[in-house]
mmCIF file of all heavy atoms in Angstrom:
data_model
loop_
_atom_site.group_PDB
_atom_site.id
_atom_site.type_symbol
_atom_site.label_atom_id
_atom_site.label_comp_id
_atom_site.label_asym_id
_atom_site.label_seq_id
_atom_site.Cartn_x
_atom_site.Cartn_y
_atom_site.Cartn_z
ATOM 1 N N LEU T 275 161.097 2.859 161.442
ATOM 2 C CA LEU T 275 162.091 2.413 160.469
ATOM 3 C C LEU T 275 161.664 1.089 159.834
ATOM 4 O O LEU T 275 161.712 0.923 158.608
ATOM 5 C CB LEU T 275 163.442 2.254 161.173
ATOM 6 C CG LEU T 275 164.674 2.235 160.267
ATOM 7 C CD1 LEU T 275 164.880 3.597 159.649
ATOM 8 C CD2 LEU T 275 165.904 1.786 161.048
ATOM 9 N N VAL T 284 157.880 -4.307 150.090
ATOM 10 C CA VAL T 284 156.624 -4.680 149.426
ATOM 11 C C VAL T 284 156.565 -4.044 148.048
ATOM 12 O O VAL T 284 156.198 -4.672 147.058
ATOM 13 C CB VAL T 284 155.414 -4.234 150.284
ATOM 14 C CG1 VAL T 284 154.123 -4.318 149.488
ATOM 15 C CG2 VAL T 284 155.308 -5.109 151.518
ATOM 16 N N SER T 292 151.106 -3.245 135.270
ATOM 17 C CA SER T 292 151.172 -3.789 133.917
ATOM 18 C C SER T 292 151.056 -2.670 132.875
ATOM 19 O O SER T 292 150.548 -1.581 133.160
ATOM 20 C CB SER T 292 150.069 -4.812 133.723
ATOM 21 O OG SER T 292 148.835 -4.188 133.927
ATOM 22 N N LYS T 297 148.529 2.304 130.170
ATOM 23 C CA LYS T 297 147.894 2.869 128.992
ATOM 24 C C LYS T 297 146.469 3.313 129.334
ATOM 25 O O LYS T 297 146.020 4.388 128.911
ATOM 26 C CB LYS T 297 147.864 1.829 127.871
ATOM 27 C CG LYS T 297 147.677 2.476 126.529
ATOM 28 C CD LYS T 297 147.782 1.462 125.419
ATOM 29 C CE LYS T 297 147.438 2.109 124.110
ATOM 30 N NZ LYS T 297 147.227 1.144 123.061
ATOM 31 N N CYS T 304 142.398 11.531 129.219
ATOM 32 C CA CYS T 304 141.757 12.251 128.118
ATOM 33 C C CYS T 304 140.239 12.207 128.223
ATOM 34 O O CYS T 304 139.551 12.934 127.512
ATOM 35 C CB CYS T 304 142.137 11.625 126.774
ATOM 36 S SG CYS T 304 143.881 11.403 126.556
ATOM 37 N N SER T 330 139.265 -0.099 118.464
ATOM 38 C CA SER T 330 138.100 0.095 117.597
ATOM 39 C C SER T 330 136.843 0.424 118.401
ATOM 40 O O SER T 330 135.837 0.859 117.863
ATOM 41 C CB SER T 330 137.857 -1.160 116.768
ATOM 42 O OG SER T 330 137.556 -2.237 117.619
ATOM 43 N N GLY T 383 100.447 11.701 142.434
ATOM 44 C CA GLY T 383 101.146 10.472 142.794
ATOM 45 C C GLY T 383 102.642 10.651 142.900
ATOM 46 O O GLY T 383 103.117 11.771 143.094
ATOM 47 N N ALA T 418 121.530 19.419 130.921
ATOM 48 C CA ALA T 418 121.106 20.107 129.701
ATOM 49 C C ALA T 418 119.588 20.154 129.596
ATOM 50 O O ALA T 418 119.050 20.871 128.772
ATOM 51 C CB ALA T 418 121.690 19.405 128.478
ATOM 52 N N ILE T 419 118.882 19.384 130.428
ATOM 53 C CA ILE T 419 117.435 19.299 130.302
ATOM 54 C C ILE T 419 116.772 20.100 131.410
ATOM 55 O O ILE T 419 117.141 19.996 132.573
ATOM 56 C CB ILE T 419 116.951 17.834 130.357
ATOM 57 C CG1 ILE T 419 117.732 16.997 129.350
ATOM 58 C CG2 ILE T 419 115.458 17.759 130.085
ATOM 59 C CD1 ILE T 419 117.333 15.570 129.284
ATOM 60 N N ASP T 422 110.088 22.963 131.402
ATOM 61 C CA ASP T 422 109.430 24.249 131.245
ATOM 62 C C ASP T 422 108.098 24.185 131.983
ATOM 63 O O ASP T 422 107.174 23.509 131.549
ATOM 64 C CB ASP T 422 109.216 24.512 129.756
ATOM 65 C CG ASP T 422 108.615 25.881 129.512
ATOM 66 O OD1 ASP T 422 108.096 26.471 130.474
ATOM 67 O OD2 ASP T 422 108.660 26.351 128.373
ATOM 68 N N ILE T 430 115.403 20.412 125.935
ATOM 69 C CA ILE T 430 116.820 20.074 125.941
ATOM 70 C C ILE T 430 117.601 21.211 125.298
ATOM 71 O O ILE T 430 117.275 21.651 124.205
ATOM 72 C CB ILE T 430 117.080 18.765 125.187
ATOM 73 C CG1 ILE T 430 116.286 17.632 125.833
ATOM 74 C CG2 ILE T 430 118.561 18.428 125.180
ATOM 75 C CD1 ILE T 430 116.360 16.331 125.086
ATOM 76 N N VAL T 442 117.035 9.098 126.360
ATOM 77 C CA VAL T 442 116.223 8.363 125.384
ATOM 78 C C VAL T 442 115.673 7.085 126.015
ATOM 79 O O VAL T 442 114.502 6.744 125.857
ATOM 80 C CB VAL T 442 117.070 8.035 124.133
ATOM 81 C CG1 VAL T 442 116.275 7.186 123.161
ATOM 82 C CG2 VAL T 442 117.533 9.298 123.465
ATOM 83 N N PRO T 446 109.513 7.184 129.441
ATOM 84 C CA PRO T 446 108.529 6.104 129.291
ATOM 85 C C PRO T 446 107.627 6.298 128.075
ATOM 86 O O PRO T 446 106.982 5.367 127.622
ATOM 87 C CB PRO T 446 107.735 6.164 130.593
ATOM 88 C CG PRO T 446 107.866 7.564 131.053
ATOM 89 C CD PRO T 446 109.209 8.043 130.580
ATOM 90 N N PRO T 454 121.288 13.890 114.278
ATOM 91 C CA PRO T 454 122.654 14.381 114.041
ATOM 92 C C PRO T 454 122.818 15.795 114.592
ATOM 93 O O PRO T 454 121.892 16.609 114.521
ATOM 94 C CB PRO T 454 122.768 14.374 112.523
ATOM 95 C CG PRO T 454 121.783 13.364 112.077
ATOM 96 C CD PRO T 454 120.665 13.390 113.055
ATOM 97 N N ARG T 485 100.872 16.800 105.365
ATOM 98 C CA ARG T 485 101.883 16.422 104.364
ATOM 99 C C ARG T 485 102.480 17.613 103.620
ATOM 100 O O ARG T 485 103.121 17.443 102.591
ATOM 101 C CB ARG T 485 101.303 15.445 103.340
ATOM 102 C CG ARG T 485 100.702 14.211 103.982
ATOM 103 C CD ARG T 485 100.499 13.135 102.979
ATOM 104 N NE ARG T 485 99.781 12.032 103.620
ATOM 105 C CZ ARG T 485 99.748 10.815 103.143
ATOM 106 N NH1 ARG T 485 100.352 10.537 102.027
ATOM 107 N NH2 ARG T 485 99.086 9.872 103.772
ATOM 108 N N ILE T 504 102.962 9.534 109.555
ATOM 109 C CA ILE T 504 103.779 10.613 110.130
ATOM 110 C C ILE T 504 104.980 10.858 109.212
ATOM 111 O O ILE T 504 105.388 9.954 108.479
ATOM 112 C CB ILE T 504 104.284 10.294 111.559
ATOM 113 C CG1 ILE T 504 104.964 8.917 111.569
ATOM 114 C CG2 ILE T 504 103.183 10.370 112.576
ATOM 115 C CD1 ILE T 504 105.739 8.642 112.830
ATOM 116 N N GLU T 520 109.094 26.646 106.705
ATOM 117 C CA GLU T 520 108.191 27.670 106.165
ATOM 118 C C GLU T 520 106.818 27.075 105.854
ATOM 119 O O GLU T 520 105.786 27.696 106.077
ATOM 120 C CB GLU T 520 108.797 28.242 104.866
ATOM 121 C CG GLU T 520 110.109 28.973 105.050
ATOM 122 C CD GLU T 520 109.862 30.357 105.608
ATOM 123 O OE1 GLU T 520 108.942 31.032 105.138
ATOM 124 O OE2 GLU T 520 110.583 30.752 106.553
ATOM 125 N N SER T 534 115.739 26.647 122.274
ATOM 126 C CA SER T 534 116.163 26.961 123.632
ATOM 127 C C SER T 534 115.217 27.988 124.260
ATOM 128 O O SER T 534 115.069 29.094 123.785
ATOM 129 C CB SER T 534 117.584 27.492 123.624
ATOM 130 O OG SER T 534 117.914 27.919 124.914
ATOM 131 N N GLN T 538 114.749 32.247 123.928
ATOM 132 C CA GLN T 538 113.498 32.946 123.652
ATOM 133 C C GLN T 538 113.272 34.060 124.671
ATOM 134 O O GLN T 538 112.939 35.187 124.315
ATOM 135 C CB GLN T 538 112.330 31.967 123.729
ATOM 136 C CG GLN T 538 111.959 31.419 122.366
ATOM 137 C CD GLN T 538 110.804 30.463 122.457
ATOM 138 O OE1 GLN T 538 110.278 30.232 123.535
ATOM 139 N NE2 GLN T 538 110.418 29.917 121.334
ATOM 140 N N LEU T 541 115.441 36.954 123.969
ATOM 141 C CA LEU T 541 114.946 37.762 122.858
ATOM 142 C C LEU T 541 113.802 38.664 123.313
ATOM 143 O O LEU T 541 113.745 39.845 122.978
ATOM 144 C CB LEU T 541 114.485 36.851 121.714
ATOM 145 C CG LEU T 541 115.600 36.230 120.872
ATOM 146 C CD1 LEU T 541 114.997 35.273 119.861
ATOM 147 C CD2 LEU T 541 116.389 37.311 120.154
ATOM 148 N N GLU T 542 112.902 38.069 124.095
ATOM 149 C CA GLU T 542 111.761 38.846 124.578
ATOM 150 C C GLU T 542 112.214 40.024 125.429
ATOM 151 O O GLU T 542 111.715 41.142 125.294
ATOM 152 C CB GLU T 542 110.822 37.945 125.395
ATOM 153 C CG GLU T 542 109.836 37.202 124.512
ATOM 154 C CD GLU T 542 109.196 36.035 125.227
ATOM 155 O OE1 GLU T 542 109.159 36.045 126.473
ATOM 156 O OE2 GLU T 542 108.744 35.123 124.530
#
Side-chain angles (χ1 to χ4, degrees):
Chain T
L275 199 68
V284 167
S292 60
K297 200 175 174 193
C304 309
S330 63
I419 308 181
D422 184 344
I430 301 174
V442 176
R485 305 196 186 199
I504 51 168
E520 296 282 316
S534 174
Q538 265 180 1
L541 284 175
E542 275 163 23

